[in-house]
Amino acid sequence: MNSSYRQFIFASAILMTITPVPSVFAADAVTTSLDDVRQESQIATSYALNPYLRANDLKVTVQKGKAVLTGKVDEKISKELASEIARGVSGITDVDNQIVVEANYLPHFGHGGFGDKIDDASISAAIRSKLQWNKDVDSVGTDVSTKNGRVTLTGNADSQAAKDIANRLAMNTRGVTSVTNNLKIQSNQMTDDDKARAKAEDESHNISDSWITAKVKSSFMYSSNINGGDIDVSTNNGVVTLTGKVASGIERSLAIETAQNIRGVKSVTSKALLF
């Protein structure tokens, strides 16, 4: 075997030994890069959905588990919130918060971003649910649309009272800034006899107590004027009992009215609802 051939065999053996090593490093690098991208996306999405942060121009980059935050906010608490959200993402080991606090900075609210669209969709869904649960409103003919917190109601109402109730339900929904009520009154939709029969049929369906309790609690949660977390709700044979604390007589009255208007509710006991 001549010296040139021996050198070729030796070189080949070395190449075969070291070739797999770079591929392992490459695989690790790809995995790290994918993790960085996932974490960046998760943090950025959280900022976009957060009502206190999404109006700010915040940017995030992640490299090997370290998140670097940049941008501007108008309050220190917003900067701290951005850090807490980033630290809460799985795999983030360090946060370098370079966000600048400027008291004169003006966040850009209501520009139709992803978070705003989510809020608008949630508002519309909440109002549709409240209309459906309300025993004095026929929600079938009502369409609800929301843009930047501004609600528009279109369709039909069978009376001025029903139109006013729909307006109040929408206006008292969390996140709503204004309501345009374009409902048209069609008083001939149902006669008094038809309404009486519909009410009797509703009662004959024997709506469950658990359903009523759930809808009362949800209605409190959707309301911008009721702190539902401080009110306990129970139902027995259609009789709703409210207990807990409210901030004022107005909140108490609104809580009672909200419960009374849920389908299937026969009466509301509120002696233990104090302020």
Side-chain angles (χ1 to χ4, degrees), residues 102-121:
E102 290 185 3
N104 295 326
Y105 173 72
L106 295 177
H108 46 277
F109 293 100
H111 284 194
F114 180 61
D116 294 323
K117 289 182 173 62
I118 293 293
D119 276 356
D120 287 341

Side-chain angles (χ1 to χ4, degrees), residues 102-206:
E102 290 185 3
N104 295 326
Y105 173 72
L106 295 177
H108 46 277
F109 293 100
H111 284 194
F114 180 61
D116 294 323
K117 289 182 173 62
I118 293 293
D119 276 356
D120 287 341
S122 299
I123 289 171
S124 293
I127 295 172
R128 291 190 192 101
S129 295
K130 290 167 74 175
L131 292 173
Q132 183 179 4
W133 302 336
N134 192 283
K135 59 187 177 185
D136 297 316
V137 178
D138 180 11
S139 65
V140 175
T142 304
D143 183 66
V144 183
S145 61
T146 308
K147 186 173 183 180
N148 296 330
R150 296 188 291 271
V151 174
T152 301
L153 304 177
T154 55
N156 303 317
D158 59 6
S159 67
Q160 182 63 49
K163 179 176 180 178
D164 292 342
I165 290 172
N167 194 91
R168 191 160 64 250
L169 288 173
M171 195 64 238
N172 288 334
T173 301
R174 194 179 302 276
V176 172
T177 57
S178 67
V179 176
T180 300
N181 193 338
N182 292 330
L183 291 176
K184 296 179 180 178
I185 299 173
Q186 294 187 353
S187 56
N188 294 327
Q189 276 188 301
M190 291 182 69
T191 65
D192 289 340
D193 289 340
D194 289 335
K195 291 178 182 178
R197 280 194 294 270
K199 183 178 180 181
E201 185 179 354
D202 234 11
E203 292 174 351
S204 69
H205 286 164
N206 192 24

Side-chain angles (χ1 to χ4, degrees), residues 8-9 29 37 54 66 85 152 172 176 179 183 195 230 261 266:
F8 172 76
I9 294 297
V37 171
R54 65 167 173 259
K66 180 179 180 179
I85 289 175
T152 301
N172 288 334
V176 172
V179 176
L183 291 176
K195 291 178 182 178
D230 293 334
N261 289 333
K266 297 174 182 177

Side-chain angles (χ1 to χ4, degrees), residues 227-239:
N227 186 2
D230 293 334
I231 302 176
D232 291 323
V233 182
S234 62
T235 309
N236 185 20
N237 293 325
V239 178

Side-chain angles (χ1 to χ4, degrees), residues 239-257:
V239 178
V240 174
T241 301
L242 304 179
T243 59
K245 290 186 177 181
V246 290
S248 65
I250 294 176
E251 184 182 358
R252 184 177 187 275
S253 297
L254 185 57
I256 295 169
E257 179 189 359

Side-chain angles (χ1 to χ4, degrees), residues 11-22:
S12 298
I14 293 176
L15 285 173
M16 290 176 65
T17 302
I18 66 173
T19 297
V21 177

